[in-house]
Amino acid sequence: MIDRETFVELMSGVCAPVTVVTAMTPEGRPYGSTVSSFASLSVDPPLASFALDRSSGLLAHLQPGSRVGVNILGAHQQELASTFARPPRSPGGKFDGVAWTVRAGLPYLPESAGWTAGRVERHVDGGDHILLVVCIEEAEPTPAAPLIYARRVFGTHSRLAVAS
């Protein structure tokens, strides 16, 4: 078995999309967290997945059957990624000072590079994280450049130069 530091260093070299996953309580309180494990799982049916740390405050609001939103951040939204990665100062506090609206009953961050919403189908045990499988019900792609995280820095994707 490899040591923790080797595994963390290896995985830091894997480019990951940066998203803010959101939920809304029945009382209308928004919750959200930066997540870099969002991935497509299945086309038929449309399923996606992401993982949350077992200690995540968001996890309690995303039980099977819960509605969930995923804001795929754009290259211009690094500050939002940092804001939603920090512990909240109060319940729903990550949204203080952030431009957001409600879309499909979920917190939505305008100007994101993409948006999707769905319902949590199930949780899968993943060690210190829980993998959430989501049935996608709504999606809006945009041509905006996505925010990517690798080697502990933010970046974006670009096409390789074509050899002449």
Side-chain angles (χ1 to χ4, degrees), residues 52-68:
L52 291 175
D53 189 290
R54 288 182 180 277
S55 66
S56 169
L58 180 60
L59 187 58
H61 304 288
L62 293 177
Q63 296 303 304
S66 301
R67 300 236 335 120
V68 59

Side-chain angles (χ1 to χ4, degrees), residues 73-78 113 144-148 154-157:
L73 298 186
H76 63 288
Q77 294 179 304
Q78 297 175 45
L147 184 62
I148 303 293
F154 292 114
T156 192
H157 173 74

Side-chain angles (χ1 to χ4, degrees), residues 70 72 103 108 112-117 136 138-143:
V70 180
I72 300 166
R103 181 173 176 170
Y108 168 71
S112 293
W115 159 260
T116 190
I136 301 299
E138 178 180 330
E140 180 186 347
T142 76

Side-chain angles (χ1 to χ4, degrees), residues 90-155:
S90 61
K94 291 182 180 182
F95 288 85
D96 293 345
V98 170
W100 67 283
T101 63
V102 175
R103 181 173 176 170
L106 296 161
Y108 168 71
L109 303 173
E111 301 181 19
S112 293
W115 159 260
T116 190
R119 197 166 297 280
V120 176
E121 284 227 335
R122 63 184 165 271
H123 289 179
V124 179
D125 181 28
D128 58 4
H129 280 63
I130 299 291
L131 183 72
L132 288 84
V133 177
V134 177
C135 181
I136 301 299
E137 299 171 339
E138 178 180 330
E140 180 186 347
T142 76
L147 184 62
I148 303 293
Y149 190 72
R151 300 273 184 230
R152 299 173 185 87
V153 297
F154 292 114

